[in-house]
């Protein structure tokens, strides 16, 4: 059960810090867990109780990334509580961030992208055209799944070479569309109006659906990709909407693109976030040399 203090904190995060629905939902779950586990709840817990709760997260099997997010949620909540005068101390002030190893993003090779597109194209009618458009757009532009599924139809009606995307923090950027993606979108638009459900008769979305949001959901897109991966002979665990974004960045760097350009295209505020793709690209190029160069072979 959400307390009034947590509700006020989440409202502040939404209004003043423009936190995404995903972040608000995650913080809400994190604080609910702490509220239930701490003696007396969040407002009565002391430093020892907070530190004991936090120390137990690893023993519960939570990943370092999840532990770090819960630490962030708790520390921000207690700072807010101090500012509001609800508490005179911050019992989370001594929590240390968990050590996290470098996790390389999953990606797909160019041939695997082609196999995925071929499997999507093999589907009949509007469903196949929609899935091809989704994959082509994600791979050509590096859009986040929320940005992709939230595209408005008027943004592509005139066959633009670039999309103007509003990403995290309200920052706008240009997302490129290659000829293949533009052709896929044009084919989808040809059947979209006839294919969309009755509830979305006047839908503004490029990919309308009967969901509460009015457009295709990330979960449904992931399900469609899973089936396409199976049809393409790929492991579904390696394929997701976010993996298509990773492939976009990795293949650009493999092709010699400047890191700053890739940072801009991905909409990363910090180039350190983009730099992880250089490791992926380097690892893949090294594997090509090991497997293809005649002097690198064992035989």
């Amino acid at each position: 059960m959400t307390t009034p203090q947590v509700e006020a904190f989440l409202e502040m995060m939404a209004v003043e810090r423009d936190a995404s629905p995903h972040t608000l939902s995650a913080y809400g779950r994190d604080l609910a867990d702490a509220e239930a586990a701490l003696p007396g709840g969040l407002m009565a817990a002391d430093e020892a109780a907070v530190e004991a709760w936090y120390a137990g997260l690893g023993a519960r099997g939570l990943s370092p990334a999840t532990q770090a997010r819960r630490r962030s949620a708790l520390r921000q909540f207690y700072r807010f509580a101090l500012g509001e005068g609800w508490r005179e101390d911050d019992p989370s002030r001594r929590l240390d961030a968990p050590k996290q190893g470098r996790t390389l993003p999953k990606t797909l090779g160019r041939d695997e992208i082609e196999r995925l597109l071929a499997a999507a194209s093999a589907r009949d009618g509007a469903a196949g055209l929609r899935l091809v458009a989704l994959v082509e757009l994600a791979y050509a532009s590096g859009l986040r799944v929320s940005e992709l599924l939230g595209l408005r139809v008027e943004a592509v009606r005139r066959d633009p070479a670039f999309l103007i995307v509003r990403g995290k923090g309200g920052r706008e950027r240009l997302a490129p569309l290659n000829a293949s993606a533009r052709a896929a979108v044009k084919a989808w638009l040809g059947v979209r109006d006839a294919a969309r459900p009755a509830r979305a008769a006047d839908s503004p979305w490029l990919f309308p659906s009967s969901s509460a949001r009015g457009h295709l959901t990330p979960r449904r897109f992931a399900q469609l990709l899973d089936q396409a991966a199976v049809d393409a002979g790929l492991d579904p665990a390696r394929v997701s909407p976010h993996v298509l974004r990773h492939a976009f960045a990795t293949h650009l760097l493999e092709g010699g693109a400047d890191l700053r350009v890739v940072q801009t295209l991905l909409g990363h505020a910090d180039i350190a976030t983009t730099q992880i793709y250089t490791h992926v690209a380097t690892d893949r190029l090294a594997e090509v040399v090991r497997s293809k160069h005649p002097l690198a072979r064992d035989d």
Side-chain angles (χ1 to χ4, degrees):
M1 182 177 178
T2 303
T3 66
Q5 292 86 358
V6 170
E7 286 185 358
F9 167 72
L10 294 177
E11 182 178 357
M12 178 277 296
M13 291 290 291
V15 174
E16 297 183 16
R17 301 190 187 176
D18 195 28
S20 69
H22 176 78
T23 297
L24 294 174
S25 177
Y27 275 18
R29 292 193 302 271
D30 295 341
L31 294 173
D33 179 84
E35 175 68 23
L38 292 170
L42 287 163
M43 298 309 298
D46 57 18
E47 281 191 4
V50 168
E51 290 170 10
W53 167 80
Y54 183 64
L57 296 180
R60 289 162 56 182
L62 299 184
S63 69
T66 301
Q67 293 177 53
R69 193 194 66 222
R70 294 202 171 181
R71 171 182 176 270
S72 176
L74 210 66
R75 295 202 66 184
Q76 291 188 69
F77 171 78
Y78 279 125
R79 289 195 195 104
F80 179 67
L82 274 172
E84 294 294 309
W86 298 337
R87 288 195 62 128
E88 297 180 354
D89 65 328
D90 177 3
S92 69
R93 64 187 181 88
R94 295 193 301 183
L95 296 183
D96 294 325
K99 294 181 180 180
Q100 300 188 52
R102 189 188 76 188
T103 301
L104 297 181
K106 298 177 183 177
T107 190
L108 297 172
R110 291 177 177 84
D111 61 322
E112 292 173 317
I113 293 288
E114 291 175 0
R115 287 162 58 187
L116 192 66
L117 283 167
S121 300
R123 295 195 171 194
D124 293 333
L129 292 173
R130 181 180 66 172
L131 186 53
V132 170
L134 284 161
V135 176
E136 287 278 14
L137 278 172
Y139 178 58
S141 63
L143 292 176
R144 298 179 178 91
V145 65
S146 59
E147 296 167 347
L148 172 62
L149 301 181
L151 285 175
R152 292 179 174 267
V153 68
E154 65 264 23
V156 299
R157 284 287 190 196
R158 297 185 178 182
D159 190 27
F162 290 88
L163 296 172
I164 299 176
V165 181
R166 186 180 295 275
K168 288 186 175 181
R171 295 184 295 271
E172 288 189 346
R173 71 183 192 279
L174 292 178
L177 296 182
N178 57 30
S180 182
R182 291 162 69 182
V185 169
K186 185 175 181 180
W188 163 240
L189 287 176
V191 299
R192 170 187 173 275
D193 293 343
R196 57 187 178 172
R199 280 183 60 191
D202 298 311
S203 175
W205 310 112
L206 177 57
F207 300 107
S209 80
S210 57
S211 71
R213 301 181 189 182
H215 57 69
L216 200 68
T217 64
R219 179 180 176 83
R220 182 56 182 152
F221 183 23
Q223 290 172 341
L224 294 172
L225 281 180
D226 282 350
Q227 186 57 58
V230 171
D231 294 342
L234 302 172
D235 180 0
R238 297 182 56 236
V239 181
S240 72
H242 208 56
V243 165
L244 297 176
R245 176 171 158 89
H246 293 326
F248 163 82
T250 303
H251 296 170
L252 280 177
L253 289 168
E254 288 177 351
D258 182 84
L259 187 65
R260 288 287 184 184
V261 172
V262 177
Q263 176 193 5
T264 300
L265 293 173
L266 290 173
H268 287 161
D270 187 346
I271 197 169
T273 308
T274 317
Q275 283 175 326
I276 193 170
Y277 292 103
T278 63
H279 299 297
V280 179
T282 301
D283 291 347
R284 288 173 63 85
L285 291 173
E287 177 58 31
V288 169
V289 172
R290 284 194 297 269
S291 62
K292 303 300 182 182
H293 195 284
L295 296 183
R297 296 178 181 176
D298 294 331
D299 55 1

